[in-house]
Amino acid sequence: MRGGGLLVAIVALLLIGGAVRLAYIETSRGDTLRSRAARQQTTRQSIPALRGEILDTRGRVLAGTVRSPSVYVDPALVADPRYAACSLAPILGLEAGELEDLLREPPRPRFVWLKRGISGEDLEAFEKVVGRWHLPGFGVQYEVARVYPQGRLAPHVLGFVGVDLVEATEITPAYEDLRGLAGVEEAFNDLLTGKPGKRTATVDVIRRRVCSRKAEYEPAVDGATIVLTIDAFIQQITQEALAEAFKEHEPEWAAAVVLDPQSGEVLAMATIPDFDPAAPFPAGYHDATEEERERAQTTWRNRAVADSYEPGSIFKPFVASCALDEGVVALDDVFTINGPERSFGRRTIHDTHAYKSLAVHEIISKSSNIGMGLVGARCGMERLNRYVRLFGFGEVTGVGLPGEHSGLVQAFSRWNPSFSPQSIPIGQEISVTPIQIVTAFSVFCNGGVLPQPRIVRGVIGPDGDTLQDCSRPVEVRRVLSEETAEAFRWEALVEAVEKGTGKRAAVPGYQVFGKTGTAQVAGLDEEGKMRYLPGDYVGSFVGGAPADYPRVVVLVSLYKPSAGKYYGGTVAAPAVKEILEKTLAYMRVPPDLPESVARK
Amino acid sequence: MCGTGFQPVILCGTGFQPVILCGTGFQPVILCGTGFQPVILCGTGFQPVVRPVRSPAATFVVEELTLTALETQPRSAATTRRLYDPSVVFIVGVLMALGVAMVYSASVTVQGAEFNWRQWWDSPLKQGVFVVAGFLAMLFAAHLDYRVLAWQQRWDGWRSGLLTLITLGLLLAVLLVGHQALGARRQLMIPGLPFGFQPSELAKIVLVIWLAALLTRPTAKTSTGRGRFSLLREQPSDNTVRRGDVRDFRTGFFPAVLSAGVLIGLTAIEDFGTAALMGVVMLLLLIISGARWAHLALVVPAALAAGALLILTKPHRIDRIKAFFSDTPDLTGADYQIDQAMLAIGSGGWWGRGLGAGVQKYGYLPQDNNDFILAIICEELGVVGGIVVVALFLLLMWRGWRIAANAPDLFGRLLALGLTLLLGLQAAFNVGVVTNSIPTKGISLPFVSAGGSGVVFLGFAVGLLASVGRKQQ
């Protein structure tokens, strides 16, 4: 036979060529092919970590995270659109016809949300129907949502979150994440976020899990829980009182801070106008004009820590008490006033009433500007500068909230000898924040020590272990001797409420002490010059109770009240009274005065 | 699956169901994992032993199966008389067993919670039944005397002729009432049975039988009665060409080409790949039988022209050719299948992911249990597994060549060569397609790919080959 063997050999060589080609594919492209195959055959799913909760000091949930189920469909996988539409439309609250149209014409991308945030009952019904009739293409996705069960309680302290799209990396897929954008949510974002887990599984060509191959699973680590010093009840009291004052006096904004002077814990912190932390962006925010956006953004400002203003008379006790402590003056030293106005060099200072002469405690209780000018003159600039800084003004308190302002205290070299000795004692030339005022005022209540104000008590890990414990009081420094602090509180500050400008802050049954403040607001006038604007004031009152062992210190400030009244003793003191009265009752502080005394 | 005279040792893992068919005389030993009941059909006289094994060493590895089986000794080296050559039966048995395992593995899909018998029938059981049928067809053909198909007397070519006519009828029938699948009409549905019958698989065997018979038929003016092959035997000294000799165009060459051409042409309408294979086999048989080069030179351009015409009438064939020669692969279109085959080969590495552990079969690779079964073998058993399969075909070709060389007559020699070349070429085509060496066309891997007609008819063909290998004292 002609060439039979040769032809068989040629065909055999072709086969051998095929085998060689197989080996060649493996050696030349094996790794590339393997990694491409692995990419197409595996699916990676991220498991979101639950964002940690924010609790109040008694464990009430102020901010929490829920996994809310949402129903979606991939229309391309739906086998019988009419049947599926008719079975599911009533459960999902959709029109059967519309749903059918949607299923018939798959949009791009094919993933469509049918109902976001479905209720538990509806979800159960949905899963029953899908399970019983084997409807392909429908699914449930759990989305993470941040909830604030107390509503608009302490929104400025809590802050709010935004949704962040975390880009996919080589190892993790893209996922949506909550990111704190303000308040505690922002300051403790890293602790609250936790660590997302992931699941890697082998899937078939239409992404169904292949059970014969092992799935890799890395569980998510949930975020930590932040426990605040805020007490939801006191916060509620504070917000209500502040809202009442806001309604009555129509200021540009109002802020209140309630502090435990013994420990430095912030019990409440409120600002009006406020916002809903669950929906910080008002409807239409993203299409709004720049102006409207700024208006929304101003409601996010936590004025109690982020805004500073000239404190006015409320600042007098800080200067006077230091002078007392150093023996520059004594409480009973009498100064000749000869009001209602008096010039100090090139500057004239006014009092609201014409006093002839006042003792130092009367200067405080009656809030005499001329008297404080005289005290300031006796102290001199070096001492004043030292006193101001001793009380912590001009630097942030470190309360633990983002965006805290340090206030403004001029560098000593820039002080003006002809103005500063009189301006500083009456709270001008200086700007302070509400949190600085209450903190400094605590010095009179706890034996002369400046406490570290705190808003976070501790951090609890996802397993219940304590990550951070901040519950111990921290002393910043001693400011006054214990005797001076006691004496000043009893002689000057109690008198201010009993007989002086702060009478409206008196609470039946408790010995309240405090100080009013009515500061002018500087601004640009019509000619563009910086000066005090007529009619613009900040009315404040800072006070505490009970006087023999102060448990609470409260500051209320109303910025530019526009309803006619503006004196701190008129606009702010009643709100402080309201807060003190209810807070003391809530804290079960025993009354220290017989009813009759208070009533007098 | 094994012929008489060998003792199979089968190791298999849990979850697979071995089917063992063996000849008389030896005792198969089966070690298998828990959970499946082996099916054993064996000759009389011995009791099969089934021992459950739980050790990890009992993992089912097809290469091991092959090697173990090859090392066993034939019963007696001194046998001088035998009905057929058992070696090809054995090699094909191994390939068929591998085919059942791989088709079972490749047919897996992700299913819902419910089990239904229809799914099960559609994959492993069906192929198992086909393979049993194919093996029985092979044993049947091996026990036949292949000479019943020869054309040795003046009028005894009628058996081959009848076979050819029946095949032509079936090819015509499939064109008229065939079952459409995957865009081609290739199957005749058998009433009452859940599977079809593919006449093109029969056609390629019949082509070889018919040509072998026709080309070795008695030539005119021969006085000695037995059929002889004119070219090599008794070279006529006067150099005249006898009537009916293939070298004679009118009486020898033309009838052969015409009859084969009709067979190939009818096949080509719906099954281009098989027709191309048949064309090449026809050409090789003509060369071997001594056709004049000048005559052959006439046929080749005509065949190429016919092939080109067939390609141009079907758009998907043009696409496949374009895709093969294009520089920029279209991975979502025409190149998708071959690209997925490459991913399967690549993801197996040298040693594979393990039997059953492939992933490309989960819908990524189309035709994974059929034309592209080799890609799945490479993924699960590695490139080494793929090379072992190729080696089995080489072994088969070597045995086929030995049988042809020792054939007692010319018909047997041409038949053995033709069948050997057919099997080798089909395997080579399939390997070429899977390795992206030639454009994609529907050619299955003999004995291994899913499908009943191929296994049964190719089994029958190998039976004939074994029958040619008979030895008589």
Side-chain angles (χ1 to χ4, degrees):
Chain A
M1 305 221 119
R2 186 173 74 183
L6 182 67
L7 290 174
V8 171
I10 288 172
V11 174
L13 276 178
L14 288 180
L15 264 174
I16 292 170
V20 170
R21 173 98 178 154
L22 277 179
Y24 172 72
I25 289 169
E26 168 57 28
T27 47
S28 67
R29 298 197 279 148
D31 291 332
T32 328
L33 291 169
R34 262 190 291 284
S35 69
R36 272 187 58 208
R39 260 207 304 285
Q40 84 171 8
Q41 291 164 354
T42 49
T43 179
R44 292 199 176 89
Q45 210 179 353
S46 82
I47 305 158
L50 279 189
R51 191 175 175 84
E53 293 181 330
I54 302 175
L55 308 179
D56 86 340
T57 189
R58 301 209 174 184
R60 304 179 185 104
V61 178
L62 301 181
T65 307
V66 293
R67 289 156 60 87
S68 80
S70 293
V71 173
Y72 67 86
V73 66
D74 177 353
L77 297 182
V78 176
D80 184 347
R82 166 156 301 169
Y83 184 69
C86 292
S87 331
L88 291 175
I91 297 168
L92 301 172
L94 299 169
E95 277 298 320
E98 282 173 28
L99 181 57
E100 191 188 331
D101 291 344
L102 172 78
L103 298 180
R104 277 194 196 289
E105 282 166 33
R108 285 202 169 270
R110 292 179 356 196
F111 183 94
V112 184
W113 287 117
L114 289 181
K115 181 153 189 178
R116 301 189 80 161
I118 190 170
S119 72
E121 242 171 67
D122 286 350
L123 179 68
E124 209 170 289
F126 168 83
E127 285 183 332
K128 215 179 200 174
V129 169
V130 168
R132 178 175 303 162
W133 306 113
H134 307 291
L135 300 176
F138 294 89
V140 176
Q141 173 86 42
Y142 282 86
E143 291 183 291
V144 174
R146 194 70 167 159
V147 290
Y148 299 89
Q150 314 280 351
R152 292 169 93 105
L153 194 81
H156 298 95
V157 174
L158 299 176
F160 55 89
V161 295
V163 174
D164 239 11
L165 185 71
V166 179
E167 294 280 326
T169 65
E170 195 63 36
I171 28 176
T172 54
Y175 62 96
E176 281 189 348
D177 192 24
L178 299 176
R179 170 171 285 274
L181 295 179
V184 171
E185 298 270 30
E186 181 191 352
F188 293 87
N189 187 57
D190 290 349
L191 280 168
L192 285 166
T193 300
K195 191 167 166 290
K198 62 175 189 284
R199 184 163 35 203
T200 311
T202 305
V203 289
D204 76 352
V205 75
I206 54 171
R207 317 316 278 170
R208 292 176 301 186
R209 175 91 204 277
V210 171
C211 297
S212 63
R213 294 190 74 85
K214 237 166 99 182
E216 283 166 36
Y217 176 70
E218 190 181 295
V221 179
D222 288 345
T225 299
I226 310 287
V227 183
L228 300 183
T229 59
I230 298 281
D231 186 301
F233 194 88
I234 301 175
Q235 178 73 27
Q236 182 70 25
I237 291 166
T238 308
Q239 282 185 209
E240 278 169 8
L242 195 65
E244 207 172 295
F246 188 86
K247 203 172 147 198
E248 197 179 334
H249 303 293
E250 296 168 13
E252 197 177 303
W253 54 262
V257 180
V258 181
L259 195 75
D260 178 344
Q262 309 299 334
S263 67
E265 291 185 348
V266 178
L267 300 177
M269 183 182 276
T271 300
I272 294 179
D274 66 352
F275 62 95
D276 181 358
F281 301 95
Y285 174 83
H286 296 285
D287 308 319
T289 61
E290 196 63 31
E291 217 171 297
E292 285 170 318
R293 284 190 196 198
E294 260 172 38
R295 201 174 310 141
Q297 282 163 12
T298 55
T299 66
W300 302 342
R301 263 185 101 81
N302 186 357
R303 309 283 185 173
V305 296
D307 273 27
S308 69
Y309 47 90
E310 289 195 356
S313 310
I314 216 167
F315 202 69
K316 287 170 184 165
F318 305 123
V319 172
S321 61
C322 272
L324 217 60
D325 200 43
E326 289 206 336
V328 180
V329 293
L331 268 175
D332 299 327
D333 282 3
V334 177
F335 285 83
T336 310
I337 306 291
N338 285 335
E341 57 178 63
R342 178 164 179 158
S343 31
F344 290 86
R346 283 156 52 199
R347 175 146 195 220
T348 307
I349 288 183
H350 305 265
D351 268 351
T352 44
H353 298 282
Y355 303 110
K356 281 198 88 68
S357 62
L358 294 169
V360 169
H361 59 91
E362 288 169 324
I363 290 173
I364 297 297
S365 65
K366 296 191 193 307
S367 198
S368 165
N369 293 336
I370 297 169
M372 278 314 291
L374 293 167
V375 172
R378 195 181 284 183
C379 289
M381 288 212 302
E382 280 86 4
R383 282 207 182 91
L384 288 176
N385 180 47
R386 205 172 69 241
Y387 297 167
V388 166
R389 300 197 186 269
L390 211 51
F391 272 102
F393 296 108
E395 61 189 37
V396 293
T397 62
V399 67
L401 288 171
E404 191 184 351
H405 194 247
S406 64
L408 210 71
V409 180
Q410 299 265 26
F412 184 61
S413 56
R414 298 185 60 190
W415 286 32
N416 185 337
S418 55
F419 286 100
S420 302
Q422 281 73 48
S423 298
I424 296 289
I426 61 170
Q428 293 181 347
E429 269 189 42
I430 187 174
S431 79
V432 302
T433 61
I435 187 73
Q436 284 176 330
I437 296 172
V438 279
T439 310
F441 197 77
S442 302
V443 169
F444 304 128
C445 311
N446 64 8
V449 171
L450 184 71
Q452 168 72 55
R454 289 168 293 117
I455 198 123
V456 173
R457 275 189 80 191
V459 179
I460 301 171
D463 302 326
D465 47 335
T466 305
L467 295 186
Q468 283 178 29
D469 183 1
C470 329
S471 58
R472 291 183 174 282
V474 176
E475 293 181 3
V476 176
R477 68 180 83 89
R478 173 159 289 281
V479 178
L480 303 173
S481 68
E482 205 170 332
E483 295 77 30
T484 311
E486 289 283 307
F488 193 80
R489 183 169 81 236
W490 277 109
E491 299 298 323
L493 298 175
V494 167
E495 194 176 283
V497 174
E498 280 195 331
K499 298 175 188 162
T501 50
K503 285 176 188 154
R504 285 168 211 253
V507 175
Y510 294 97
Q511 183 66 62
V512 178
F513 56 95
K515 180 73 192 82
T516 59
T518 308
Q520 290 167 286
V521 177
L524 297 173
D525 65 6
E526 291 90 22
E527 295 156 20
K529 274 174 72 182
M530 195 71 171
R531 54 188 286 259
Y532 289 119
L533 298 174
D536 279 357
Y537 296 94
V538 187
S540 307
F541 186 90
V542 59
D548 65 342
Y549 184 72
R551 298 285 304 277
V552 204
V553 172
V554 181
L555 166 77
V556 170
S557 281
L558 278 71
Y559 189 80
K560 294 190 188 174
S562 61
K565 296 174 185 165
Y566 55 83
Y567 282 110
T570 316
V571 298
V576 171
K577 179 226 165 193
E578 183 82 11
I579 295 168
L580 278 178
E581 187 174 13
K582 291 183 176 165
T583 304
L584 291 170
Y586 168 71
M587 292 170 74
R588 306 192 179 194
V589 176
D592 60 342
L593 281 185
E595 287 291 305
S596 54
V597 177
R599 214 173 279 142
K600 197 161 59 182
Chain B
M1 204 160 290
C2 62
T4 306
F6 284 92
Q7 172 157 19
V9 175
I10 292 138
L11 300 167
C12 72
T14 307
F16 281 88
Q17 174 157 23
V19 176
I20 299 113
L21 296 169
C22 61
T24 310
F26 274 83
Q27 176 165 22
V29 176
I30 298 119
L31 306 170
C32 68
T34 45
F36 279 85
Q37 183 68 32
V39 175
I40 300 134
L41 301 171
C42 62
T44 45
F46 283 90
Q47 187 70 27
V49 179
V50 179
R51 261 182 277 156
V53 171
R54 285 175 200 282
S55 86
T59 321
F60 181 84
V61 180
V62 172
E63 296 96 306
E64 280 183 22
L65 164 64
T66 314
L67 295 174
T68 315
L70 285 176
E71 280 162 10
T72 55
Q73 292 297 312
R75 178 170 44 170
S76 164
T79 309
T80 49
R81 219 183 122 86
R82 65 181 185 197
L83 202 54
Y84 61 88
D85 184 335
S87 64
V88 286
V89 174
F90 175 73
I91 294 167
V92 168
V94 171
L95 282 170
M96 283 177 168
L98 175 69
V100 175
M102 292 314 300
V103 168
Y104 185 18
S105 173
S107 305
V108 69
T109 56
V110 177
Q111 286 287 357
E114 296 130 68
F115 175 82
N116 87 50
W117 284 100
R118 172 86 205 182
Q119 295 161 9
W120 197 61
W121 162 249
D122 274 346
S123 47
L125 180 63
K126 191 152 102 177
Q127 188 65 14
V129 169
F130 289 156
V131 160
V132 170
F135 197 79
L136 292 176
M138 180 160 64
L139 289 181
F140 170 73
H143 286 82
L144 272 182
D145 187 341
Y146 68 96
R147 281 168 293 204
V148 296
L149 294 169
W151 189 341
Q152 290 171 331
Q153 308 281 325
R154 189 170 173 84
W155 291 112
D156 70 353
W158 64 272
R159 294 186 199 85
S160 319
L162 185 65
L163 201 58
T164 311
L165 284 175
I166 291 170
T167 309
L168 286 174
L170 288 170
L171 284 172
L172 272 173
V174 84
L175 289 177
L176 298 175
V177 297
H179 172 71
Q180 191 103 13
L182 298 170
R185 197 181 282 273
R186 291 181 184 170
Q187 285 200 326
L188 274 178
M189 294 313 288
I190 303 167
L193 285 181
F195 51 85
F197 161 75
Q198 199 166 320
S200 61
E201 295 288 345
L202 176 61
K204 60 189 176 197
I205 313 295
V206 169
L207 176 84
V208 174
I209 295 170
W210 170 245
L211 278 181
L214 188 71
L215 294 173
T216 55
R217 75 184 191 274
T219 52
K221 295 174 189 165
T222 44
S223 51
T224 49
R226 307 284 290 185
R228 63 183 66 164
F229 198 64
S230 55
L231 184 73
L232 296 179
R233 270 197 186 175
E234 296 175 37
Q235 243 346 317
S237 54
D238 56 356
N239 211 19
T240 53
V241 176
R242 290 164 188 263
R243 193 180 149 77
D245 191 322
V246 72
R247 291 191 301 162
D248 182 63
F249 187 83
R250 198 171 57 80
T251 58
F253 186 81
F254 183 70
V257 171
L258 182 69
S259 54
V262 171
L263 213 51
I264 295 170
L266 278 176
T267 310
I269 294 170
E270 286 298 342
D271 194 344
F272 183 74
T274 304
L277 176 68
M278 288 163 72
V280 175
V281 170
M282 175 191 82
L283 209 61
L284 297 183
L285 283 175
L286 288 171
I287 291 171
I288 291 167
S289 60
R292 286 179 192 273
W293 291 109
H295 296 166
L296 288 171
L298 284 174
V299 176
V300 173
L304 288 179
L309 191 70
L310 281 165
I311 287 173
L312 293 176
T313 51
K314 290 271 182 162
H316 76 267
R317 291 177 184 152
I318 307 176
D319 288 347
R320 284 177 180 176
I321 305 265
K322 270 191 198 160
F324 181 74
F325 288 106
S326 147
D327 291 335
T328 51
D330 169 20
L331 295 186
T332 55
D335 286 321
Y336 173 78
Q337 189 173 24
I338 190 65
D339 181 56
Q340 291 297 329
M342 287 294 129
L343 291 182
I345 295 169
S347 56
W350 285 109
W351 299 102
R353 292 177 138 181
L355 187 63
V359 180
Q360 285 294 92
K361 62 195 180 187
Y362 290 100
Y364 294 104
L365 177 61
Q367 295 291 302
D368 52 0
N369 64 4
N370 201 315
D371 298 347
F372 281 84
I373 191 80
L374 186 67
I376 299 296
I377 292 176
C378 286
E379 186 187 9
E380 302 197 345
L381 306 176
V383 167
V384 171
I387 290 173
V388 166
V389 170
V390 171
L392 283 171
F393 279 104
L394 287 172
L395 206 59
L396 184 64
M397 286 188 74
W398 174 69
R399 285 310 305 162
W401 161 243
R402 289 319 304 155
I403 289 170
N406 297 326
D409 56 27
L410 281 175
F411 171 69
R413 190 175 292 183
L414 199 57
L415 182 68
L417 271 178
L419 292 175
T420 304
L421 287 170
L422 175 73
L423 289 171
L425 268 175
Q426 187 176 341
F429 272 22
N430 181 272
V431 175
V433 167
V434 173
T435 56
N436 199 18
S437 311
I438 54 175
T440 306
K441 53 179 166 308
I443 290 266
S444 58
L445 189 62
F447 314 115
V448 182
S449 289
S453 311
V455 168
V456 171
F457 295 128
L458 288 175
F460 184 81
V462 173
L464 285 182
L465 187 61
S467 171
V468 176
R470 63 174 49 211
K471 270 188 185 159
Q472 278 156 330
Q473 198 70 39

